[in-house]
Amino acid sequence: LIYNDANDYNILVSKTPEGRWQITGLIDFGDMVESYLLFEPAAALAYTYTRRREMIVIDHAYHGNASALIDLSPYKFKGPGGQGPGPWTHTVTMPDTYRGPYRSSDPEAAQKYAREVGELIARLEAEGKAPAGFMAEAALGCGGQVPLPPGYLQTVYPAVRKAGGVCIADEVQIGFGRLGTHFWGFEQQQVVPDIITMGKPIGNGHSLAAVATIPEIAAAFANGMEYFNTFGGNPVSCTIGLAVLEVIEEEQLQANARRLGERLQQGFRELQTKYPVIGDIRGSGLFLGVELIKDPATLEPAPELAQAVVESLKEEVILFSTEGPFNNVLKFKPPLVITQEDTDRILETLDRILKDKG
């Protein structure tokens, strides 16, 4: 009976846009699950399938804290204690349409940011190299809750595939209905990746993670070099994961994320009219960011204010955090089960704190 649950779980998670997916790794164990046993197999799938090593990532992205994944995480290797990228890591500009080189007022911003990926591939090919893959979230969490501009991945994915690389979607923070509009973040970009990584919400607190890919990539991984982990396919964890999926569907948590996310964004916009320190409001569903600034003209970041607001909210038992290159973005990623009463209290409390701090 338990092993039947494991098979059911594989079927449910595999309901992605093209219906061709299979779970190549389903693992459970401790805090390092996502790094050692999730992203490393995803990268290994790309390396094995393409027989290449070069990887393209977005600046300030975070994909794990194991040594091999730190090399693919600018958030880590460019931050305190970081030692720079590995020789096979190639970074492109974060497509931030609020303070990046191409802003929301530019209708071609997405294509201009995406063009950088094509130019990077051309430079690699001139050096006799080619990408193994491109790894990205559809909305960058550690980058400051920055959603990729519409059309970005629709331009990037074909360029990567034309060069023989694979496209990896990091759904650890944004998957499982959190964005409200779709179950998977990449669906907002109207693309289908070759590899998907899943973690965090997949077990609702139980340490569980998974990697899904298409059959041809999975087949290439079955090359005789045995891959295993002690807790792979743990039937108890599969049962827990199945229960999480059932609750998301039965309690309509994706719809809840969309409805309350819209309510929060409306409330944040109303606060923005009162407090010019709110420079930008962005995100989708219950994956939201509020960027705090000192000067609307220069967009000078306000990290001290952001940290002070987070600490004041914590005293009210409301948990935000700070993110972004300047640590000035209020990051809000609450449980999908929050209520309208919760959102109203959040907005009222934030209003009071900004009035006091401003």
Side-chain angles (χ1 to χ4, degrees):
L1 177 61
I2 291 177
Y3 282 101
N4 284 339
D5 279 349
N7 291 331
D8 289 343
Y9 189 74
N10 188 62
I11 293 168
L12 282 171
V13 175
S14 298
K15 288 184 177 180
T16 49
E18 291 187 348
R20 304 174 58 226
W21 299 85
Q22 62 188 60
I23 301 296
T24 56
L26 182 62
I27 61 256
D28 149 62
F29 190 59
D31 293 338
M32 296 303 288
V33 164
E34 290 168 10
S35 292
Y36 288 117
L37 302 180
L38 173 58
F39 287 103
E40 287 202 1
L45 284 167
Y47 299 151
T48 303
Y49 179 70
T50 63
R51 297 180 180 273
R52 302 168 183 170
R53 187 73 177 180
E54 316 297 320
M55 289 289 289
I56 302 172
V57 296
I58 295 176
D59 198 12
H60 218 74
Y62 171 67
H63 299 297
N65 57 13
S67 57
L69 280 308
I70 287 175
D71 285 344
L72 298 178
S73 300
Y75 174 76
K76 285 290 188 180
F77 68 65
K78 292 176 66 174
Q83 300 180 13
W88 52 81
T89 303
H90 307 276
T91 304
V92 294
T93 303
M94 180 169 63
D96 180 354
T97 57
Y98 175 64
R99 64 167 62 247
Y102 310 115
R103 306 287 175 87
S104 57
S105 58
D106 184 347
E108 297 185 1
Q111 288 68 39
K112 289 178 179 177
Y113 281 116
R115 195 174 301 146
E116 185 178 342
V117 177
E119 293 169 351
L120 172 56
I121 291 172
R123 290 197 299 273
L124 288 174
E125 292 175 338
E127 297 172 3
K129 304 174 183 178
F134 171 84
M135 181 184 291
E137 302 168 284
L140 279 76
C142 292
Q145 307 295 88
V146 176
L148 300 181
Y152 179 80
L153 290 184
Q154 284 182 306
T155 302
V156 169
Y157 273 20
V160 173
R161 288 173 173 146
K162 183 178 180 181
V166 300
C167 301
I168 304 172
D170 177 349
E171 292 285 327
V172 171
Q173 291 196 55
I174 61 177
F176 292 82
R178 174 162 293 279
L179 299 188
T181 58
H182 300 82
F183 193 80
W184 303 110
F186 62 77
E187 293 179 288
Q188 284 195 340
Q189 287 278 312
Q190 300 180 45
V191 295
V192 178
D194 303 304
I195 301 171
I196 308 173
T197 59
M198 301 163 248
K200 288 184 174 63
I202 193 174
N204 193 38
H206 179 76
S207 56
L208 180 65
V211 179
T213 190
I214 54 178
E216 48 264 47
I217 294 178
F221 203 50
N223 60 4
M225 181 181 291
E226 183 181 12
Y227 172 80
F228 74 96
N229 60 73
T230 303
F231 295 93
N234 184 316
V236 175
S237 296
C238 292
T239 304
I240 292 170
L242 183 59
V244 171
L245 288 170
E246 290 172 348
V247 169
I248 290 173
E249 181 175 353
E250 291 172 4
E251 298 188 10
Q252 300 181 346
L253 296 186
Q254 180 178 326
N256 191 58
R258 181 170 187 168
R259 180 175 61 87
L260 295 185
E262 290 172 350
R263 185 177 183 86
L264 281 167
Q265 288 211 51
Q266 178 183 349
F268 291 150
R269 284 192 291 269
E270 291 172 0
L271 292 178
Q272 189 178 32
T273 64
K274 298 171 62 176
Y275 306 108
V277 293
I278 297 179
D280 191 36
I281 298 158
R282 53 183 178 256
S284 178
L286 293 176
F287 190 79
L288 301 173
V290 177
E291 182 154 354
L292 302 186
I293 57 173
K294 296 179 180 179
D295 186 342
T298 64
L299 304 187
E300 181 182 356
E304 299 86 358
L305 175 60
Q307 188 59 44
V309 169
V310 166
E311 293 300 322
S312 295
L313 285 167
K314 188 189 303 181
E315 293 175 1
E316 301 283 348
V317 200
I318 297 172
L319 298 181
F320 278 53
S321 61
T322 60
E323 284 292 4
F326 306 102
N327 291 312
N328 67 316
V329 179
L330 301 178
K331 177 179 183 176
F332 191 49
K333 193 177 63 171
L336 300 187
V337 296
I338 66 168
T339 65
Q340 181 172 316
E341 290 74 19
D342 293 325
T343 62
D344 290 346
R345 188 170 79 87
I346 289 163
L347 292 169
E348 291 167 4
T349 305
L350 184 57
D351 186 2
R352 175 163 39 85
I353 290 171
L354 287 174
K355 183 178 181 180
D356 178 61
K357 301 295 182 184

